Structure formats: C-alpha cells, structure tokens
C-alpha cells in the first residue's frame, strides 16, 4: 500500500501540476505588461485578467449600458481609461503612447476568470546608437490590482537590455538598454 502511494506521488510530482502556472488569485485584477523593444518602436502589450471575485466590477466599468455586450465604443472607451493610467518617459522626457488595438473576450469568460482583455500600445521612434532609460508607470490604484511587467529579449541584435528595476508592487518599471551602431555586442565576460 505504501509503495502505491509513493508511486502515485512520484507521478504527480514528475508530471507537474497542470494549470497551476496559469492560475491567479480569484480576488485580484492582474494587469501584466510585456515590453518589446524594436529599432523603430517600443511595444507595450497589456493583458488584463480579472479574477472571478472582481470580474463583475470590471465588466461594469467596460459595459457602460449594462447589456452584457462589450461594444466597440465601450471597448475603445475602456482602452482609453487604461491608457490614462499608463505613463512612459524615455531618457527623462515624458512621451505619449499610441493605442494600437485590442481584443476583448465575451463577458461570460471574464465572469469565469478566464477572459483576458488584450491591449497594445506603442511608442513610435527611430533609435540611434546610444544608451536609453525607459520608465513605465501603471498608476491604476484600485486595491484589487496586481501589476506585473517585464521586457522580452530584443530580437534586433543591435538592441541590448542592460538593466531592469521594478518597484515592490511592479507599478513602476525602469528599463535600461543600449542600441548598438551595427557592430557585434560585446561578450558579457569581456
């Protein structure tokens, strides 16, 4: 009998716990931002996932007429509301994000805690060779909001992340990066 229990436990541990990595707390509104550095723009992909306990409140903020259908006008208005909470500065100079589109799930998915609102903003620019510091702030302050922010590894070989720093609650994020002038990047041990 003990051998069977240990075998079952070993199987569970070796295969992992499916779905655990995708879970978040039921009583939180997760606002996760991924930053993508490109040579001609910086992309901010914001994923908004309300937990079951806060979903009705979030739906009410989007669905202003209460018909349980998120119309294009309601979606745009909510994206603008989210954008008002976001600020970006580059090398100390405040810049304006441009809304680049989004996708909203059905209210049934939001209510179930599995719906994700996806918004994309970008900062168009042409980066010349040099050092840059980008500061991103998400000033949404409702008590149920949890912030996450990270930068993806740049696909452009001339763009290199040199440092990241976050506030404790990740509502403020500082990203240091360098744009090379076409020469290969120095090896990290040099």
């Amino acid at each position: 009998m003990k051998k069977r229990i240990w075998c079952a436990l070993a199987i569970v541990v070796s295969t992992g716990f499916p779905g655990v990595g995708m879970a978040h707390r039921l009583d939180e509104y997760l606002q996760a931002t991924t930053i993508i550095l490109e040579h001609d723009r910086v992309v901010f992909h914001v994923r908004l996932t309300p937990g079951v306990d806060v979903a009705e409140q979030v739906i009410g903020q989007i669905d202003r007429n209460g018909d349980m259908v998120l119309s294009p006008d309601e979606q745009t208005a909510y994206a603008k509301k989210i954008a008002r909470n976001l600020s970006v500065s580059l090398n100390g100079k405040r810049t304006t994000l441009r809304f680049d589109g989004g996708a909203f799930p059905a209210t049934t998915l939001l209510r179930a805690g599995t719906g994700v609102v996806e918004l994309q903003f970008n900062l168009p620019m042409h980066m010349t060779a040099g050092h840059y510091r980008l500061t991103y702030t998400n000033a949404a302050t409702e008590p149920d909001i949890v912030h996450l922010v990270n930068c993806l590894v740049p696909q452009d070989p001339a763009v290199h992340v040199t440092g990241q720093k976050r506030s404790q609650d990740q509502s403020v994020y500082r990203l240091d990066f360098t744009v090379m002038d076409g020469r290969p990047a120095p090896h990290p041990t040099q």
Side-chain angles (χ1 to χ4, degrees):
M1 182 69 162
K2 280 185 178 180
K3 189 173 186 176
R4 279 191 227 169
I5 292 172
W6 282 109
C7 286
L9 182 60
I11 290 170
V12 169
V13 169
S14 67
T15 59
F17 298 96
V20 169
M22 299 298 291
H24 69 94
R25 292 185 182 167
L26 298 174
D27 61 348
E28 294 177 337
Y29 187 16
L30 178 62
Q31 297 192 358
T33 303
T34 305
I35 299 173
I36 304 163
L37 298 172
E38 297 177 356
H39 210 73
D40 60 346
R41 68 183 182 154
V42 180
V43 177
F44 300 82
H45 186 200
V46 182
R47 289 176 311 285
L48 309 165
T49 310
V52 172
D53 294 348
V54 297
E56 287 301 328
Q57 177 185 353
V58 173
I59 291 168
Q61 292 174 10
I62 304 169
D63 183 24
R64 301 307 293 171
N65 65 5
D67 67 355
M68 291 301 147
V69 175
L70 306 180
S71 72
D73 287 342
E74 290 171 328
Q75 292 177 22
T76 300
Y78 191 69
K80 287 179 181 178
K81 176 185 186 272
I82 295 297
R84 283 191 295 273
N85 288 323
L86 307 179
S87 65
V88 174
S89 67
L90 188 62
N91 292 343
K93 182 181 176 189
R94 188 175 168 126
T95 60
T96 303
L97 291 176
R98 185 176 75 193
F99 179 57
D100 209 18
F104 285 72
T107 56
T108 54
L109 294 175
L110 288 171
R111 202 172 279 110
T114 58
V116 179
V117 174
E118 297 193 39
L119 303 175
Q120 185 166 302
F121 301 91
N122 73 60
L123 178 60
M125 57 186 290
H126 180 74
M127 290 186 270
T128 57
H131 300 283
Y132 293 87
R133 173 166 286 168
L134 182 139
T135 303
Y136 170 80
T137 303
N138 185 335
T141 58
E142 290 89 13
D144 301 325
I145 291 180
V146 174
H147 304 278
L148 293 175
V149 62
N150 208 351
C151 180
L152 297 181
V153 174
Q155 296 300 305
D156 186 332
V159 181
H160 304 276
V161 172
T162 57
Q164 301 179 76
K165 188 171 184 171
R166 298 165 183 82
S167 63
Q168 186 173 354
D169 68 355
Q170 295 195 35
S171 63
V172 179
Y173 174 77
R174 188 180 77 207
L175 174 67
D176 294 310
F177 64 98
T178 302
V179 176
M180 307 295 281
D181 61 3
R183 292 175 289 186
H187 192 274
T189 59
Q190 292 180 349

